[in-house]
Amino acid sequence: MRVVLAEDSLLLREGLVRLLDEAGAEVVAAVGDGLELVKAVTELRPDVAVVDVRMPPTFTDEGLRAALEIRTLDPPPAVLVLSQYVEESYASDLLTTGGGVGYLLKDRVSRLSDLSDALERVVGGGTVLDPEVVSALFAHRRRNDPLEALSPREREVLGLMAEGRTNTAIGRELVVSQGAVEKHISSIFTKLGLPPSGDDHRRVMAVLTWLGV
């Protein structure tokens, strides 16, 4: 797995390079700002970009804006955005670009297993959201709730889908069979009006509905 890393803090950047190396990834470039990120991704075409939200010069949303820009490339690289705090609007903007994206708090990626799992899932076209991000987004969901038709168990399943859990992991969390999970997901798709499609992005669309994006 080839990675371009964007982190302005030299100390954190070096730490993340070592952590990514331990996770089995090849860091082909490690840069310090959004412009360098776009240039490196355009030239090197990595499998995934790992990006800090706040970078120079204003330390607001330069990293996120660079991440959104590289998602317009064809084909778009996977993106894993890291943030010190939960910032709902940033996560929402990222999710609207489709599958292959993740948003994690930096504390989460200090655990090697969490980082490895997140990278594999976004490179595989899935979505990965920090549980705290899911909670924050859910709390701000619009009043006209499109999820009213879902049963409590279906809401639980969809919430775990929003975290990027696989069907097997959902079944393990809820102590039900994988077949039961698949039935719940099929019912969720039907109730949310998400018919089968050629590119099969129904899982992503269901998660966006859950988050009110």
Side-chain angles (χ1 to χ4, degrees), residues 121-143:
R121 281 192 276 167
V122 296
V123 170
T127 57
V128 177
L129 289 178
D130 195 286
E132 291 187 35
V133 176
V134 172
S135 297
L137 288 169
F138 180 61
H140 289 82
R141 199 171 60 222
R142 55 184 174 272
R143 293 178 63 185

Side-chain angles (χ1 to χ4, degrees), residues 23-156:
E26 177 191 1
V27 179
V28 296
V31 301
D33 63 49
L35 292 177
E36 291 182 10
L37 169 65
V38 173
K39 180 180 178 182
V41 170
T42 302
E43 293 178 353
L44 300 172
R45 295 301 176 116
D47 300 302
V48 58
V50 178
V51 186
D52 184 17
V53 167
R54 298 185 177 189
M55 290 195 292
T58 67
F59 295 95
T60 54
D61 63 350
E62 284 85 359
L64 176 80
R65 287 191 279 112
L68 295 175
E69 183 174 345
I70 63 176
R71 287 288 290 174
T72 65
L73 296 173
D74 186 19
V79 170
L80 181 62
V81 168
L82 308 180
S83 181
Q84 192 69 40
Y85 310 102
V86 176
E87 299 173 87
E88 298 94 336
S89 62
Y90 295 169
S92 298
D93 289 343
L94 187 66
L95 285 167
T96 58
T97 68
V101 298
Y103 188 109
L104 294 180
L105 297 182
K106 288 185 176 179
D107 289 345
R108 197 81 55 186
V109 299
S110 63
R111 292 188 287 271
L112 183 60
S113 59
D114 288 349
L115 177 60
S116 298
D117 180 60
L119 289 171
E120 289 176 4
R121 281 192 276 167
V122 296
V123 170
T127 57
V128 177
L129 289 178
D130 195 286
E132 291 187 35
V133 176
V134 172
S135 297
L137 288 169
F138 180 61
H140 289 82
R141 199 171 60 222
R142 55 184 174 272
R143 293 178 63 185
N144 294 325
D145 192 351
L147 308 179
E148 289 181 352
L150 301 187
S151 70
R153 177 46 61 99
E154 288 166 351
R155 287 174 180 245
E156 284 184 284

